[in-house]
Structures are given as C-alpha cells and as structure tokens.
Amino acid sequence: MARRYYYPGDEAGVLERVRNRVFRKPVPDFPKTIVIETQFGCNASCVFCQYSQLRDKLPKGRMSVALFEKIAGECAGRPVERFILCLDNEPLLDTTLAEKYALLRQHCPLAVRNLTTNASLLTAANVDELIGAGLVNELFLSVNGASREVYEKLMGLPYDKVMGNLEYLCTWLRQHPDVRRTLRVRVNAVRTRLVEPELPAMARRWEAEGFEMHVIGMDSRGNQLDMKNLPGERMKPNATCRRLFHTMVLTWEGHAVLCCVDYRRAVKLGNVQEQTVYEIWNGSWATLLRKEYLAKDFSHLPICATCKIN
C-alpha cells in the first residue's frame, strides 16, 4: 500500500504529528517527477489506453523548445528525480526530442532522463542520437505480448518491425558495454487477461538481456476508458494513488493537469506559459485538491472518485 502523504501543520494534535512523521510522507514543495508531453500524437492503438478515443478531440501540436527550456530552467537546482517525456504521445514522433533531452542534461544533470517508447520508431539513428550520445539514461519499452497475435491485438503495431528494432537495440547494447552499464532498461507490460499467460515468456526473454521486466496494473483512466475491447477485467477502486503528490503532468500547450490519466484535461492546475512550476505546484488550487483527496472528498476530483485498477 502506498504511504499516505500529509501537510505539515495540518495535524490535529501530538499523536497525529507523531503518526505522520513515522508512517507518512510530507507533500514535497516541488514535484519529484515531471511528465512532459512534448508533442501530441501516437502511432499505436493500445486497447488499454484512452488515446484512440480522444485523438480527434484534443488539440494537436508540439511544445516549443523555448517553453521546454523555461520548464527545464525552473527545475535547475530543484530536487526533481525524473523527467518522463511521454503522455498522450509516442515521444519519438517529436523531431526536436534530442534538443529537449539536451536541455534537461544541461539544466538538471542529476535527474533521470527517461524515454518511454513503444519502440516502433527506435531506429538505429535514434539509438545513436539519444542513447549513444548519453541524452537518455533510462529507457522504458512498452511491450505487451510475446506472440504476434497478442501483441498486435493489444497494441495495434507491426510485431515484426518492433521486434526487429528491439533486436537491434539488444545487439547495439552488447557492442557498447560502457553505455549499457549506465543505462537502465525496463520492459513494461500492462496487466490484462490477454497478456497474462505470456508474461513468463516475456520475463525470460527480456531478463536474459539484462532488462528489468515490470508489470503495470491497468487502470480505468478515471473511469473514462472504453472497456469494450477488454472484457472480463476485474477492476477495483484505486484507493492508494500517489500521483497527485509527487508528479506534475504537463501537456504540450503547457497545461499542468491533474495526473497522467486525466486525458480530457478535465482538471487543470495552471499553465507554465503564465506561471512557474513552483507556483503551480504550491498554488492554492493544487493544495486544495490534495487536501480534499487526503480527506476523501472528491467534490472537485470526479475522475479520482471513479478510477479503478485491476
């Protein structure tokens, strides 16, 4: 179970203060993780993702390098642990991606620079530019299935092309042990009834390469996900979510939204074109929402009230 958070100074008495310091975490005054959608759009059609439902309903565009640098500059010297350049997008569609990772390395050299990708565009050129040049130091590969049938049914991408890219990556990493030693590589699969029987084979395959194998619980995206292609999934309330307390999520337009499953941008905390990251994170609106969540008051958090996970 996720440790609950607390706001120092809100305790009712001595016992609550002691309990908080022993069993809970204070809400940090700056996000530990920052998720940035550098460009809207994805080339996959994963059945466990809401993107297919919204691809024609949300504005399309790319975050400017200038706005990205503003964000990176505001995070310089702050305790940000990880940047993830992925939300409603396949990051490798952004032709300015290398420039943006370079800005993160310049302004926040100690932070993890994560690339989460479905690997369909992880070409030799991209491997050299992003991984070979040290711009990315953490690679998460979204792979759902060991067989062609399951993989293509779940992700809607060409199995042979993606597996070819992954084979090239494995060979490249073997040939560059100095890079491999400092690069964390993890294969992510979303837990569904369809992929579950193939998880042992996936673990054997990718752990043999020295990659981590990680299975992520599927959530209902605040009960906004169309479940018709996922029959029989057993879902339960997501009652221990930590996202609101350690992660800031930014869309390509600069909107800070509630969390990574708020695909419709229903709850906006602010916009980094008009405010700083610090101002948004510590603003009265964001603070109110966190305190309401801790009190199990979902008046302003309807997607939290209905979010479920398997």
PDB file of all heavy atoms in Angstrom, residues 31-43:
ATOM      1  N   PRO A  31       7.737  19.058  -7.382  1.00  0.00           N
ATOM      2  CA  PRO A  31       7.473  17.690  -7.859  1.00  0.00           C
ATOM      3  C   PRO A  31       8.742  16.854  -7.961  1.00  0.00           C
ATOM      4  O   PRO A  31       9.790  17.345  -8.368  1.00  0.00           O
ATOM      5  CB  PRO A  31       6.834  17.915  -9.233  1.00  0.00           C
ATOM      6  CG  PRO A  31       7.198  19.308  -9.619  1.00  0.00           C
ATOM      7  CD  PRO A  31       7.328  20.086  -8.359  1.00  0.00           C
ATOM      8  N   LYS A  32       8.611  15.586  -7.590  1.00  0.00           N
ATOM      9  CA  LYS A  32       9.726  14.649  -7.704  1.00  0.00           C
ATOM     10  C   LYS A  32       9.866  14.133  -9.137  1.00  0.00           C
ATOM     11  O   LYS A  32      10.962  13.819  -9.598  1.00  0.00           O
ATOM     12  CB  LYS A  32       9.516  13.464  -6.755  1.00  0.00           C
ATOM     13  CG  LYS A  32       9.474  13.838  -5.288  1.00  0.00           C
ATOM     14  CD  LYS A  32      10.800  14.362  -4.796  1.00  0.00           C
ATOM     15  CE  LYS A  32      10.786  14.607  -3.297  1.00  0.00           C
ATOM     16  NZ  LYS A  32      12.064  15.201  -2.821  1.00  0.00           N
ATOM     17  N   THR A  33       8.728  14.007  -9.811  1.00  0.00           N
ATOM     18  CA  THR A  33       8.704  13.549 -11.202  1.00  0.00           C
ATOM     19  C   THR A  33       7.951  14.575 -12.027  1.00  0.00           C
ATOM     20  O   THR A  33       6.918  15.087 -11.592  1.00  0.00           O
ATOM     21  CB  THR A  33       8.010  12.181 -11.317  1.00  0.00           C
ATOM     22  OG1 THR A  33       8.740  11.208 -10.555  1.00  0.00           O
ATOM     23  CG2 THR A  33       7.921  11.722 -12.772  1.00  0.00           C
ATOM     24  N   ILE A  34       8.465  14.865 -13.218  1.00  0.00           N
ATOM     25  CA  ILE A  34       7.760  15.765 -14.130  1.00  0.00           C
ATOM     26  C   ILE A  34       7.558  15.031 -15.457  1.00  0.00           C
ATOM     27  O   ILE A  34       8.508  14.588 -16.092  1.00  0.00           O
ATOM     28  CB  ILE A  34       8.519  17.086 -14.349  1.00  0.00           C
ATOM     29  CG1 ILE A  34       8.648  17.825 -13.006  1.00  0.00           C
ATOM     30  CG2 ILE A  34       7.799  17.958 -15.376  1.00  0.00           C
ATOM     31  CD1 ILE A  34       9.263  19.199 -13.104  1.00  0.00           C
ATOM     32  N   VAL A  35       6.295  14.884 -15.819  1.00  0.00           N
ATOM     33  CA  VAL A  35       5.901  14.251 -17.076  1.00  0.00           C
ATOM     34  C   VAL A  35       5.598  15.362 -18.070  1.00  0.00           C
ATOM     35  O   VAL A  35       4.798  16.260 -17.786  1.00  0.00           O
ATOM     36  CB  VAL A  35       4.658  13.364 -16.870  1.00  0.00           C
ATOM     37  CG1 VAL A  35       4.131  12.839 -18.198  1.00  0.00           C
ATOM     38  CG2 VAL A  35       4.975  12.207 -15.934  1.00  0.00           C
ATOM     39  N   ILE A  36       6.232  15.319 -19.230  1.00  0.00           N
ATOM     40  CA  ILE A  36       6.050  16.368 -20.231  1.00  0.00           C
ATOM     41  C   ILE A  36       5.654  15.735 -21.560  1.00  0.00           C
ATOM     42  O   ILE A  36       6.380  14.900 -22.099  1.00  0.00           O
ATOM     43  CB  ILE A  36       7.328  17.209 -20.423  1.00  0.00           C
ATOM     44  CG1 ILE A  36       7.826  17.761 -19.087  1.00  0.00           C
ATOM     45  CG2 ILE A  36       7.064  18.357 -21.402  1.00  0.00           C
ATOM     46  CD1 ILE A  36       9.162  18.494 -19.180  1.00  0.00           C
ATOM     47  N   GLU A  37       4.521  16.144 -22.058  1.00  0.00           N
ATOM     48  CA  GLU A  37       4.081  15.743 -23.398  1.00  0.00           C
ATOM     49  C   GLU A  37       4.681  16.751 -24.368  1.00  0.00           C
ATOM     50  O   GLU A  37       4.205  17.866 -24.500  1.00  0.00           O
ATOM     51  CB  GLU A  37       2.556  15.779 -23.465  1.00  0.00           C
ATOM     52  CG  GLU A  37       1.990  15.481 -24.845  1.00  0.00           C
ATOM     53  CD  GLU A  37       0.492  15.752 -24.900  1.00  0.00           C
ATOM     54  OE1 GLU A  37       0.099  16.929 -24.713  1.00  0.00           O
ATOM     55  OE2 GLU A  37      -0.259  14.810 -25.108  1.00  0.00           O
ATOM     56  N   THR A  38       5.760  16.362 -25.050  1.00  0.00           N
ATOM     57  CA  THR A  38       6.413  17.329 -25.943  1.00  0.00           C
ATOM     58  C   THR A  38       5.664  17.494 -27.257  1.00  0.00           C
ATOM     59  O   THR A  38       5.823  18.505 -27.945  1.00  0.00           O
ATOM     60  CB  THR A  38       7.864  16.911 -26.239  1.00  0.00           C
ATOM     61  OG1 THR A  38       7.876  15.722 -27.035  1.00  0.00           O
ATOM     62  CG2 THR A  38       8.641  16.694 -24.953  1.00  0.00           C
ATOM     63  N   GLN A  39       4.857  16.508 -27.617  1.00  0.00           N
ATOM     64  CA  GLN A  39       4.068  16.587 -28.851  1.00  0.00           C
ATOM     65  C   GLN A  39       2.872  15.653 -28.719  1.00  0.00           C
ATOM     66  O   GLN A  39       3.013  14.542 -28.217  1.00  0.00           O
ATOM     67  CB  GLN A  39       4.921  16.175 -30.055  1.00  0.00           C
ATOM     68  CG  GLN A  39       4.146  16.124 -31.374  1.00  0.00           C
ATOM     69  CD  GLN A  39       5.049  15.857 -32.563  1.00  0.00           C
ATOM     70  OE1 GLN A  39       6.092  16.474 -32.713  1.00  0.00           O
ATOM     71  NE2 GLN A  39       4.656  14.913 -33.423  1.00  0.00           N
ATOM     72  N   PHE A  40       1.711  16.115 -29.149  1.00  0.00           N
ATOM     73  CA  PHE A  40       0.528  15.254 -29.091  1.00  0.00           C
ATOM     74  C   PHE A  40       0.554  14.272 -30.258  1.00  0.00           C
ATOM     75  O   PHE A  40       0.854  14.636 -31.388  1.00  0.00           O
ATOM     76  CB  PHE A  40      -0.750  16.091 -29.167  1.00  0.00           C
ATOM     77  CG  PHE A  40      -2.014  15.271 -29.073  1.00  0.00           C
ATOM     78  CD1 PHE A  40      -2.520  14.900 -27.848  1.00  0.00           C
ATOM     79  CD2 PHE A  40      -2.677  14.859 -30.218  1.00  0.00           C
ATOM     80  CE1 PHE A  40      -3.671  14.128 -27.747  1.00  0.00           C
ATOM     81  CE2 PHE A  40      -3.831  14.087 -30.134  1.00  0.00           C
ATOM     82  CZ  PHE A  40      -4.330  13.733 -28.893  1.00  0.00           C
ATOM     83  N   GLY A  41       0.211  13.032 -29.971  1.00  0.00           N
ATOM     84  CA  GLY A  41       0.064  12.065 -31.051  1.00  0.00           C
ATOM     85  C   GLY A  41       0.806  10.767 -30.794  1.00  0.00           C
ATOM     86  O   GLY A  41       1.912  10.767 -30.245  1.00  0.00           O
ATOM     87  N   CYS A  42       0.189   9.668 -31.162  1.00  0.00           N
ATOM     88  CA  CYS A  42       0.793   8.353 -31.002  1.00  0.00           C
ATOM     89  C   CYS A  42       0.467   7.513 -32.225  1.00  0.00           C
ATOM     90  O   CYS A  42      -0.596   7.663 -32.838  1.00  0.00           O
ATOM     91  CB  CYS A  42       0.265   7.681 -29.730  1.00  0.00           C
ATOM     92  SG  CYS A  42       1.094   6.116 -29.356  1.00  0.00           S
ATOM     93  N   ASN A  43       1.377   6.608 -32.586  1.00  0.00           N
ATOM     94  CA  ASN A  43       1.168   5.748 -33.753  1.00  0.00           C
ATOM     95  C   ASN A  43       0.626   4.375 -33.378  1.00  0.00           C
ATOM     96  O   ASN A  43       0.426   3.530 -34.239  1.00  0.00           O
ATOM     97  CB  ASN A  43       2.475   5.599 -34.541  1.00  0.00           C
ATOM     98  CG  ASN A  43       3.595   5.018 -33.692  1.00  0.00           C
ATOM     99  OD1 ASN A  43       3.514   4.973 -32.472  1.00  0.00           O
ATOM    100  ND2 ASN A  43       4.659   4.586 -34.349  1.00  0.00           N
TER     101      ASN A  43
END
